[in-house]
Amino acid sequence: MSNPAKSIRIGTMIAATGGEAARRIDEIADLGFESFEPFFWQTTNGQDLAELGKRCVEAIGDRDITISTLGMFGNPLEDQPLDRDTLQGWKDCIDNAHHFGATCVAGFTGRIRGKPLEDSLPKYREVWSELAKRAADKGVRIAFENCAMDGNWQTGDWNIAHNPDAWELMFNETTDDNLGLEWEPCHQLVYLIDPLPQIRKWADKIFHVHGKDATVRHDVIREHGIFGKHPFVFMRTPGFGDSNWTDIISELRLAGYSGSIDIEGWHDPVYRDELEMTGQVHALNHLKTSRGGAFIPGTGKYEGGDPSLT
């Protein structure tokens, strides 16, 4: 019998740029993750993605683990060598997603560097209209992460999909049904935006979710503002930040979302380096508990997460 709790799976991201994805999956597959998102930074390094997909699936073996989404992060709108690699990486990920069992490819929109956000829209329309068609022909959806990468409305280097006002502009430029968002609450909290109403408004465009949170220090804001020398926000691993993930997952369920929440680690100021996987496993259990688990009769265990793990 399938477990309805797992209509939303809890997993993690897996670095793939250096060819290590399958090995890393094999190393951590028994920690309880239910999905993986292999991701590339700017380039696939010429890897044979069909072969990589086969090795990743083999590393999972008969475990109940899925790969629903691949990540390709970089700036495909510009024309430097690594930008061209990123654009080719998007094409390769779209063409080879099925070898991983994935139906979604996620990353940044790209951006015309150093220019106001609107200046990127013509190039965005040119590049993503073509990629959306390529993906649709293969049954693949494209999801843009809502990350500013230290940019803003006036300037930036990587991504325009970081603000709901930008989403309005983007999806007016490209009306393709298979273009959407890779959403997470962290990037909204960083800009002091309430993330929960976004789920209700943008649910039909949320194709994938990252498990990442933030801690906002309101006392610092009250005393020093947001442009002073004192940090007012920290990116956190789920379970250590401000978000109520029970509410987030409830809103996602109410909106009909099914898919994965893949933890994006490597940002927490406390649970990093030697404590990275300690933090990620805590996040895994926290998100499973927030999701709710299915009790397995006769075992004393919860398939979707033990409520005693917080």
Side-chain angles (χ1 to χ4, degrees):
M1 180 183 296
S2 63
N3 176 5
K6 285 191 178 179
S7 63
I8 295 180
R9 289 174 172 265
I10 311 300
T12 191
M13 299 178 71
I14 297 288
T17 311
E20 68 275 36
R23 175 184 58 79
R24 185 59 175 156
I25 285 173
D26 186 59
E27 288 174 351
I28 67 172
D30 291 324
L31 293 179
F33 295 107
E34 300 164 344
S35 65
F36 291 118
E37 179 189 358
F39 72 96
F40 303 92
W41 177 249
Q42 293 191 277
T43 177
T44 64
N45 276 325
Q47 294 179 77
D48 182 336
L49 295 195
E51 176 62 22
L52 178 61
K54 178 183 177 182
R55 289 192 285 113
C56 287
V57 170
E58 288 175 349
I60 290 171
D62 60 0
R63 302 177 182 94
D64 183 17
I65 297 173
T66 62
I67 297 174
S68 68
T69 300
L70 303 180
M72 185 66 239
F73 295 92
N75 185 348
L77 300 193
E78 287 273 30
D79 198 36
Q80 296 299 312
L82 277 174
D83 303 329
R84 293 194 293 271
D85 285 354
T86 297
L87 180 57
Q88 184 59 49
W90 270 97
K91 294 175 182 178
D92 293 342
C93 284
I94 289 167
D95 293 348
N96 290 282
H98 63 285
H99 292 293
F100 296 80
T103 57
C104 182
V105 181
F108 303 146
T109 58
R111 182 168 184 159
I112 305 303
R113 294 186 175 98
K115 299 293 184 180
L117 188 146
E118 292 97 337
D119 289 6
S120 294
L121 291 173
K123 189 66 174 180
Y124 162 84
R125 180 175 62 250
E126 174 191 335
V127 169
W128 290 106
S129 294
E130 178 184 337
L131 289 178
K133 183 179 185 304
R134 186 188 195 106
D137 289 344
K138 296 184 178 298
V140 171
R141 299 196 295 180
I142 291 171
F144 301 124
E145 186 180 357
N146 59 332
C147 175
M149 290 292 288
D150 296 323
N152 54 43
W153 200 271
Q154 288 72 37
T155 188
D157 293 334
W158 299 99
N159 192 26
I160 65 172
H162 57 79
N163 184 284
D165 296 328
W167 304 341
E168 298 276 5
L169 295 175
M170 290 161 44
F171 296 133
N172 283 334
E173 293 286 335
T174 51
T175 59
D176 308 80
D177 291 339
N178 65 327
L179 291 181
L181 299 170
E182 181 175 62
W183 183 89
E184 65 181 65
C186 171
H187 295 308
Q188 304 312 289
L189 289 169
V190 165
Y191 288 95
L192 305 180
I193 298 172
D194 184 353
L196 277 177
Q198 286 187 351
I199 300 175
R200 302 177 195 126
K201 181 174 182 179
W202 293 94
D204 64 330
K205 284 294 190 180
I206 297 177
F207 295 168
H208 188 242
V209 176
H210 270 171
K212 193 167 73 176
D213 206 344
T215 296
V216 179
R217 290 185 168 176
H218 293 281
D219 58 324
V220 173
I221 295 172
R222 286 190 292 269
E223 184 173 356
H224 303 282
I226 61 174
F227 297 114
K229 67 177 182 178
H230 299 282
F232 71 91
V233 64
F234 296 92
M235 296 184 183
R236 302 303 308 270
T237 304
F240 301 107
D242 291 350
S243 294
N244 184 324
W245 283 92
T246 299
D247 288 348
I248 289 172
I249 292 173
S250 293
E251 290 290 348
L252 288 169
R253 287 196 190 281
L254 286 169
Y257 177 80
S258 63
S260 297
I261 300 175
D262 287 320
I263 296 162
E264 181 184 349
W266 313 290
H267 291 82
D268 195 287
V270 179
Y271 290 90
R272 62 190 307 168
D273 301 327
E274 293 84 358
L275 292 176
E276 175 65 39
M277 290 313 297
T278 299
Q280 286 209 29
V281 171
H282 175 91
L284 171 68
N285 291 322
H286 180 79
L287 292 172
K288 283 183 176 180
T289 301
S290 299
R291 176 190 67 185
F295 187 75
I296 307 172
T299 67
K301 296 180 179 179
Y302 284 79
E303 185 179 8
D306 185 342
S308 68
L309 296 171
T310 58

PDB file of all heavy atoms in Angstrom, residues 43-74:
ATOM      1  N   THR A  43      28.381  24.274 -15.083  1.00  0.00           N
ATOM      2  CA  THR A  43      28.804  23.370 -16.151  1.00  0.00           C
ATOM      3  C   THR A  43      28.597  21.917 -15.718  1.00  0.00           C
ATOM      4  O   THR A  43      28.679  21.602 -14.533  1.00  0.00           O
ATOM      5  CB  THR A  43      30.282  23.603 -16.509  1.00  0.00           C
ATOM      6  OG1 THR A  43      30.694  22.662 -17.510  1.00  0.00           O
ATOM      7  CG2 THR A  43      31.181  23.435 -15.279  1.00  0.00           C
ATOM      8  N   THR A  44      28.338  21.076 -16.697  1.00  0.00           N
ATOM      9  CA  THR A  44      28.297  19.634 -16.421  1.00  0.00           C
ATOM     10  C   THR A  44      29.674  19.013 -16.572  1.00  0.00           C
ATOM     11  O   THR A  44      29.832  17.804 -16.376  1.00  0.00           O
ATOM     12  CB  THR A  44      27.325  18.927 -17.380  1.00  0.00           C
ATOM     13  OG1 THR A  44      27.816  19.044 -18.718  1.00  0.00           O
ATOM     14  CG2 THR A  44      25.915  19.519 -17.288  1.00  0.00           C
ATOM     15  N   ASN A  45      30.646  19.807 -16.955  1.00  0.00           N
ATOM     16  CA  ASN A  45      32.019  19.329 -17.169  1.00  0.00           C
ATOM     17  C   ASN A  45      32.089  18.228 -18.222  1.00  0.00           C
ATOM     18  O   ASN A  45      32.951  17.342 -18.147  1.00  0.00           O
ATOM     19  CB  ASN A  45      32.640  18.844 -15.858  1.00  0.00           C
ATOM     20  CG  ASN A  45      33.241  19.981 -15.050  1.00  0.00           C
ATOM     21  OD1 ASN A  45      33.776  20.937 -15.621  1.00  0.00           O
ATOM     22  ND2 ASN A  45      33.135  19.905 -13.740  1.00  0.00           N
ATOM     23  N   GLY A  46      31.180  18.296 -19.178  1.00  0.00           N
ATOM     24  CA  GLY A  46      31.231  17.343 -20.279  1.00  0.00           C
ATOM     25  C   GLY A  46      30.842  15.929 -19.917  1.00  0.00           C
ATOM     26  O   GLY A  46      31.112  14.993 -20.690  1.00  0.00           O
ATOM     27  N   GLN A  47      30.215  15.744 -18.770  1.00  0.00           N
ATOM     28  CA  GLN A  47      29.825  14.389 -18.364  1.00  0.00           C
ATOM     29  C   GLN A  47      28.749  13.825 -19.291  1.00  0.00           C
ATOM     30  O   GLN A  47      27.907  14.551 -19.815  1.00  0.00           O
ATOM     31  CB  GLN A  47      29.284  14.408 -16.926  1.00  0.00           C
ATOM     32  CG  GLN A  47      30.308  14.767 -15.877  1.00  0.00           C
ATOM     33  CD  GLN A  47      29.697  14.784 -14.484  1.00  0.00           C
ATOM     34  OE1 GLN A  47      29.458  13.740 -13.879  1.00  0.00           O
ATOM     35  NE2 GLN A  47      29.447  15.981 -13.972  1.00  0.00           N
ATOM     36  N   ASP A  48      28.778  12.542 -19.468  1.00  0.00           N
ATOM     37  CA  ASP A  48      27.728  11.823 -20.180  1.00  0.00           C
ATOM     38  C   ASP A  48      26.552  11.690 -19.214  1.00  0.00           C
ATOM     39  O   ASP A  48      26.579  10.850 -18.311  1.00  0.00           O
ATOM     40  CB  ASP A  48      28.245  10.451 -20.616  1.00  0.00           C
ATOM     41  CG  ASP A  48      27.216   9.652 -21.405  1.00  0.00           C
ATOM     42  OD1 ASP A  48      26.004   9.908 -21.255  1.00  0.00           O
ATOM     43  OD2 ASP A  48      27.623   8.744 -22.147  1.00  0.00           O
ATOM     44  N   LEU A  49      25.530  12.526 -19.387  1.00  0.00           N
ATOM     45  CA  LEU A  49      24.448  12.562 -18.406  1.00  0.00           C
ATOM     46  C   LEU A  49      23.586  11.302 -18.457  1.00  0.00           C
ATOM     47  O   LEU A  49      23.012  10.917 -17.436  1.00  0.00           O
ATOM     48  CB  LEU A  49      23.595  13.811 -18.599  1.00  0.00           C
ATOM     49  CG  LEU A  49      24.293  15.148 -18.348  1.00  0.00           C
ATOM     50  CD1 LEU A  49      23.261  16.270 -18.204  1.00  0.00           C
ATOM     51  CD2 LEU A  49      25.188  15.102 -17.116  1.00  0.00           C
ATOM     52  N   ALA A  50      23.489  10.688 -19.601  1.00  0.00           N
ATOM     53  CA  ALA A  50      22.755   9.426 -19.672  1.00  0.00           C
ATOM     54  C   ALA A  50      23.437   8.382 -18.797  1.00  0.00           C
ATOM     55  O   ALA A  50      22.788   7.648 -18.035  1.00  0.00           O
ATOM     56  CB  ALA A  50      22.647   8.947 -21.109  1.00  0.00           C
ATOM     57  N   GLU A  51      24.767   8.314 -18.883  1.00  0.00           N
ATOM     58  CA  GLU A  51      25.514   7.372 -18.068  1.00  0.00           C
ATOM     59  C   GLU A  51      25.462   7.757 -16.593  1.00  0.00           C
ATOM     60  O   GLU A  51      25.320   6.890 -15.714  1.00  0.00           O
ATOM     61  CB  GLU A  51      26.976   7.332 -18.544  1.00  0.00           C
ATOM     62  CG  GLU A  51      27.890   6.446 -17.710  1.00  0.00           C
ATOM     63  CD  GLU A  51      27.501   4.980 -17.720  1.00  0.00           C
ATOM     64  OE1 GLU A  51      26.810   4.553 -18.671  1.00  0.00           O
ATOM     65  OE2 GLU A  51      27.895   4.270 -16.776  1.00  0.00           O
ATOM     66  N   LEU A  52      25.555   9.058 -16.300  1.00  0.00           N
ATOM     67  CA  LEU A  52      25.470   9.504 -14.912  1.00  0.00           C
ATOM     68  C   LEU A  52      24.112   9.168 -14.319  1.00  0.00           C
ATOM     69  O   LEU A  52      24.018   8.708 -13.173  1.00  0.00           O
ATOM     70  CB  LEU A  52      25.723  11.011 -14.823  1.00  0.00           C
ATOM     71  CG  LEU A  52      25.606  11.614 -13.414  1.00  0.00           C
ATOM     72  CD1 LEU A  52      26.624  11.005 -12.465  1.00  0.00           C
ATOM     73  CD2 LEU A  52      25.755  13.141 -13.481  1.00  0.00           C
ATOM     74  N   GLY A  53      23.062   9.389 -15.105  1.00  0.00           N
ATOM     75  CA  GLY A  53      21.730   9.041 -14.624  1.00  0.00           C
ATOM     76  C   GLY A  53      21.610   7.565 -14.299  1.00  0.00           C
ATOM     77  O   GLY A  53      21.054   7.175 -13.273  1.00  0.00           O
ATOM     78  N   LYS A  54      22.169   6.731 -15.168  1.00  0.00           N
ATOM     79  CA  LYS A  54      22.143   5.285 -14.933  1.00  0.00           C
ATOM     80  C   LYS A  54      22.865   4.938 -13.642  1.00  0.00           C
ATOM     81  O   LYS A  54      22.372   4.135 -12.828  1.00  0.00           O
ATOM     82  CB  LYS A  54      22.787   4.567 -16.117  1.00  0.00           C
ATOM     83  CG  LYS A  54      22.870   3.053 -15.965  1.00  0.00           C
ATOM     84  CD  LYS A  54      23.584   2.416 -17.161  1.00  0.00           C
ATOM     85  CE  LYS A  54      23.733   0.914 -16.974  1.00  0.00           C
ATOM     86  NZ  LYS A  54      24.467   0.293 -18.106  1.00  0.00           N
ATOM     87  N   ARG A  55      24.031   5.558 -13.402  1.00  0.00           N
ATOM     88  CA  ARG A  55      24.791   5.254 -12.194  1.00  0.00           C
ATOM     89  C   ARG A  55      24.079   5.750 -10.938  1.00  0.00           C
ATOM     90  O   ARG A  55      24.129   5.092  -9.892  1.00  0.00           O
ATOM     91  CB  ARG A  55      26.194   5.854 -12.299  1.00  0.00           C
ATOM     92  CG  ARG A  55      27.079   5.130 -13.301  1.00  0.00           C
ATOM     93  CD  ARG A  55      28.535   5.536 -13.199  1.00  0.00           C
ATOM     94  NE  ARG A  55      28.784   6.852 -13.760  1.00  0.00           N
ATOM     95  CZ  ARG A  55      29.138   7.921 -13.075  1.00  0.00           C
ATOM     96  NH1 ARG A  55      29.289   7.835 -11.750  1.00  0.00           N
ATOM     97  NH2 ARG A  55      29.355   9.076 -13.670  1.00  0.00           N
ATOM     98  N   CYS A  56      23.411   6.901 -11.033  1.00  0.00           N
ATOM     99  CA  CYS A  56      22.659   7.404  -9.879  1.00  0.00           C
ATOM    100  C   CYS A  56      21.496   6.476  -9.534  1.00  0.00           C
ATOM    101  O   CYS A  56      21.243   6.185  -8.360  1.00  0.00           O
ATOM    102  CB  CYS A  56      22.144   8.818 -10.158  1.00  0.00           C
ATOM    103  SG  CYS A  56      23.424  10.088 -10.132  1.00  0.00           S
ATOM    104  N   VAL A  57      20.794   6.013 -10.557  1.00  0.00           N
ATOM    105  CA  VAL A  57      19.676   5.083 -10.324  1.00  0.00           C
ATOM    106  C   VAL A  57      20.194   3.771  -9.740  1.00  0.00           C
ATOM    107  O   VAL A  57      19.590   3.188  -8.832  1.00  0.00           O
ATOM    108  CB  VAL A  57      18.901   4.851 -11.639  1.00  0.00           C
ATOM    109  CG1 VAL A  57      17.892   3.718 -11.473  1.00  0.00           C
ATOM    110  CG2 VAL A  57      18.193   6.136 -12.063  1.00  0.00           C
ATOM    111  N   GLU A  58      21.327   3.308 -10.237  1.00  0.00           N
ATOM    112  CA  GLU A  58      21.918   2.078  -9.691  1.00  0.00           C
ATOM    113  C   GLU A  58      22.350   2.264  -8.242  1.00  0.00           C
ATOM    114  O   GLU A  58      22.235   1.338  -7.425  1.00  0.00           O
ATOM    115  CB  GLU A  58      23.106   1.653 -10.548  1.00  0.00           C
ATOM    116  CG  GLU A  58      22.712   1.095 -11.914  1.00  0.00           C
ATOM    117  CD  GLU A  58      23.921   0.790 -12.783  1.00  0.00           C
ATOM    118  OE1 GLU A  58      25.045   1.210 -12.411  1.00  0.00           O
ATOM    119  OE2 GLU A  58      23.741   0.148 -13.840  1.00  0.00           O
ATOM    120  N   ALA A  59      22.839   3.451  -7.907  1.00  0.00           N
ATOM    121  CA  ALA A  59      23.254   3.716  -6.523  1.00  0.00           C
ATOM    122  C   ALA A  59      22.052   3.687  -5.574  1.00  0.00           C
ATOM    123  O   ALA A  59      22.174   3.265  -4.426  1.00  0.00           O
ATOM    124  CB  ALA A  59      23.961   5.069  -6.437  1.00  0.00           C
ATOM    125  N   ILE A  60      20.907   4.114  -6.063  1.00  0.00           N
ATOM    126  CA  ILE A  60      19.686   4.057  -5.250  1.00  0.00           C
ATOM    127  C   ILE A  60      19.241   2.607  -5.071  1.00  0.00           C
ATOM    128  O   ILE A  60      18.794   2.216  -3.990  1.00  0.00           O
ATOM    129  CB  ILE A  60      18.563   4.891  -5.901  1.00  0.00           C
ATOM    130  CG1 ILE A  60      18.901   6.381  -5.796  1.00  0.00           C
ATOM    131  CG2 ILE A  60      17.214   4.595  -5.258  1.00  0.00           C
ATOM    132  CD1 ILE A  60      17.974   7.277  -6.580  1.00  0.00           C
ATOM    133  N   GLY A  61      19.382   1.814  -6.096  1.00  0.00           N
ATOM    134  CA  GLY A  61      19.016   0.403  -6.025  1.00  0.00           C
ATOM    135  C   GLY A  61      17.537   0.221  -5.797  1.00  0.00           C
ATOM    136  O   GLY A  61      16.704   0.901  -6.414  1.00  0.00           O
ATOM    137  N   ASP A  62      17.172  -0.695  -4.885  1.00  0.00           N
ATOM    138  CA  ASP A  62      15.762  -0.986  -4.635  1.00  0.00           C
ATOM    139  C   ASP A  62      15.199  -0.166  -3.485  1.00  0.00           C
ATOM    140  O   ASP A  62      14.105  -0.438  -3.002  1.00  0.00           O
ATOM    141  CB  ASP A  62      15.558  -2.484  -4.376  1.00  0.00           C
ATOM    142  CG  ASP A  62      16.343  -2.972  -3.156  1.00  0.00           C
ATOM    143  OD1 ASP A  62      17.039  -2.151  -2.507  1.00  0.00           O
ATOM    144  OD2 ASP A  62      16.260  -4.178  -2.847  1.00  0.00           O
ATOM    145  N   ARG A  63      15.923   0.852  -3.031  1.00  0.00           N
ATOM    146  CA  ARG A  63      15.409   1.718  -1.975  1.00  0.00           C
ATOM    147  C   ARG A  63      14.253   2.572  -2.513  1.00  0.00           C
ATOM    148  O   ARG A  63      14.207   2.897  -3.693  1.00  0.00           O
ATOM    149  CB  ARG A  63      16.508   2.645  -1.451  1.00  0.00           C
ATOM    150  CG  ARG A  63      17.742   1.930  -0.888  1.00  0.00           C
ATOM    151  CD  ARG A  63      18.764   2.979  -0.488  1.00  0.00           C
ATOM    152  NE  ARG A  63      20.006   2.406   0.034  1.00  0.00           N
ATOM    153  CZ  ARG A  63      21.084   2.155  -0.698  1.00  0.00           C
ATOM    154  NH1 ARG A  63      21.061   2.402  -2.013  1.00  0.00           N
ATOM    155  NH2 ARG A  63      22.174   1.654  -0.146  1.00  0.00           N
ATOM    156  N   ASP A  64      13.364   2.960  -1.630  1.00  0.00           N
ATOM    157  CA  ASP A  64      12.225   3.799  -2.010  1.00  0.00           C
ATOM    158  C   ASP A  64      12.676   5.262  -2.030  1.00  0.00           C
ATOM    159  O   ASP A  64      12.331   6.054  -1.154  1.00  0.00           O
ATOM    160  CB  ASP A  64      11.072   3.591  -1.024  1.00  0.00           C
ATOM    161  CG  ASP A  64       9.829   4.383  -1.422  1.00  0.00           C
ATOM    162  OD1 ASP A  64       9.751   4.813  -2.586  1.00  0.00           O
ATOM    163  OD2 ASP A  64       8.956   4.582  -0.553  1.00  0.00           O
ATOM    164  N   ILE A  65      13.474   5.599  -3.026  1.00  0.00           N
ATOM    165  CA  ILE A  65      14.035   6.938  -3.184  1.00  0.00           C
ATOM    166  C   ILE A  65      13.842   7.357  -4.638  1.00  0.00           C
ATOM    167  O   ILE A  65      14.007   6.550  -5.552  1.00  0.00           O
ATOM    168  CB  ILE A  65      15.536   6.964  -2.831  1.00  0.00           C
ATOM    169  CG1 ILE A  65      15.760   6.593  -1.359  1.00  0.00           C
ATOM    170  CG2 ILE A  65      16.140   8.336  -3.124  1.00  0.00           C
ATOM    171  CD1 ILE A  65      17.229   6.426  -0.989  1.00  0.00           C
ATOM    172  N   THR A  66      13.489   8.626  -4.839  1.00  0.00           N
ATOM    173  CA  THR A  66      13.257   9.129  -6.187  1.00  0.00           C
ATOM    174  C   THR A  66      14.216  10.271  -6.514  1.00  0.00           C
ATOM    175  O   THR A  66      14.801  10.885  -5.627  1.00  0.00           O
ATOM    176  CB  THR A  66      11.812   9.644  -6.352  1.00  0.00           C
ATOM    177  OG1 THR A  66      11.603  10.739  -5.450  1.00  0.00           O
ATOM    178  CG2 THR A  66      10.801   8.549  -6.051  1.00  0.00           C
ATOM    179  N   ILE A  67      14.378  10.520  -7.790  1.00  0.00           N
ATOM    180  CA  ILE A  67      15.016  11.734  -8.288  1.00  0.00           C
ATOM    181  C   ILE A  67      13.989  12.405  -9.181  1.00  0.00           C
ATOM    182  O   ILE A  67      13.745  11.975 -10.306  1.00  0.00           O
ATOM    183  CB  ILE A  67      16.300  11.428  -9.082  1.00  0.00           C
ATOM    184  CG1 ILE A  67      17.354  10.766  -8.198  1.00  0.00           C
ATOM    185  CG2 ILE A  67      16.865  12.711  -9.707  1.00  0.00           C
ATOM    186  CD1 ILE A  67      18.596  10.306  -8.960  1.00  0.00           C
ATOM    187  N   SER A  68      13.358  13.452  -8.669  1.00  0.00           N
ATOM    188  CA  SER A  68      12.313  14.123  -9.447  1.00  0.00           C
ATOM    189  C   SER A  68      12.844  15.325 -10.196  1.00  0.00           C
ATOM    190  O   SER A  68      12.262  15.753 -11.198  1.00  0.00           O
ATOM    191  CB  SER A  68      11.165  14.573  -8.525  1.00  0.00           C
ATOM    192  OG  SER A  68      11.589  15.621  -7.658  1.00  0.00           O
ATOM    193  N   THR A  69      13.977  15.885  -9.705  1.00  0.00           N
ATOM    194  CA  THR A  69      14.455  17.166 -10.231  1.00  0.00           C
ATOM    195  C   THR A  69      15.975  17.157 -10.358  1.00  0.00           C
ATOM    196  O   THR A  69      16.674  16.655  -9.479  1.00  0.00           O
ATOM    197  CB  THR A  69      14.024  18.321  -9.297  1.00  0.00           C
ATOM    198  OG1 THR A  69      12.595  18.352  -9.209  1.00  0.00           O
ATOM    199  CG2 THR A  69      14.523  19.668  -9.802  1.00  0.00           C
ATOM    200  N   LEU A  70      16.477  17.717 -11.460  1.00  0.00           N
ATOM    201  CA  LEU A  70      17.892  18.012 -11.628  1.00  0.00           C
ATOM    202  C   LEU A  70      18.094  19.517 -11.472  1.00  0.00           C
ATOM    203  O   LEU A  70      17.201  20.305 -11.796  1.00  0.00           O
ATOM    204  CB  LEU A  70      18.387  17.579 -13.007  1.00  0.00           C
ATOM    205  CG  LEU A  70      18.204  16.122 -13.417  1.00  0.00           C
ATOM    206  CD1 LEU A  70      18.758  15.906 -14.829  1.00  0.00           C
ATOM    207  CD2 LEU A  70      18.877  15.191 -12.427  1.00  0.00           C
ATOM    208  N   GLY A  71      19.272  19.923 -11.010  1.00  0.00           N
ATOM    209  CA  GLY A  71      19.580  21.341 -10.876  1.00  0.00           C
ATOM    210  C   GLY A  71      20.690  21.753 -11.827  1.00  0.00           C
ATOM    211  O   GLY A  71      21.694  21.056 -11.962  1.00  0.00           O
ATOM    212  N   MET A  72      20.497  22.899 -12.493  1.00  0.00           N
ATOM    213  CA  MET A  72      21.534  23.457 -13.381  1.00  0.00           C
ATOM    214  C   MET A  72      21.624  24.951 -13.090  1.00  0.00           C
ATOM    215  O   MET A  72      20.798  25.731 -13.558  1.00  0.00           O
ATOM    216  CB  MET A  72      21.168  23.214 -14.843  1.00  0.00           C
ATOM    217  CG  MET A  72      22.217  23.649 -15.846  1.00  0.00           C
ATOM    218  SD  MET A  72      23.757  22.703 -15.753  1.00  0.00           S
ATOM    219  CE  MET A  72      24.957  23.978 -15.413  1.00  0.00           C
ATOM    220  N   PHE A  73      22.613  25.338 -12.288  1.00  0.00           N
ATOM    221  CA  PHE A  73      22.686  26.697 -11.769  1.00  0.00           C
ATOM    222  C   PHE A  73      23.820  27.471 -12.438  1.00  0.00           C
ATOM    223  O   PHE A  73      24.956  26.998 -12.513  1.00  0.00           O
ATOM    224  CB  PHE A  73      22.886  26.668 -10.254  1.00  0.00           C
ATOM    225  CG  PHE A  73      21.708  26.064  -9.531  1.00  0.00           C
ATOM    226  CD1 PHE A  73      21.676  24.707  -9.252  1.00  0.00           C
ATOM    227  CD2 PHE A  73      20.633  26.845  -9.159  1.00  0.00           C
ATOM    228  CE1 PHE A  73      20.581  24.143  -8.611  1.00  0.00           C
ATOM    229  CE2 PHE A  73      19.534  26.301  -8.515  1.00  0.00           C
ATOM    230  CZ  PHE A  73      19.508  24.939  -8.236  1.00  0.00           C
ATOM    231  N   GLY A  74      23.499  28.663 -12.904  1.00  0.00           N
ATOM    232  CA  GLY A  74      24.452  29.526 -13.582  1.00  0.00           C
ATOM    233  C   GLY A  74      23.693  30.652 -14.252  1.00  0.00           C
ATOM    234  O   GLY A  74      22.547  30.942 -13.899  1.00  0.00           O
TER     235      GLY A  74
END
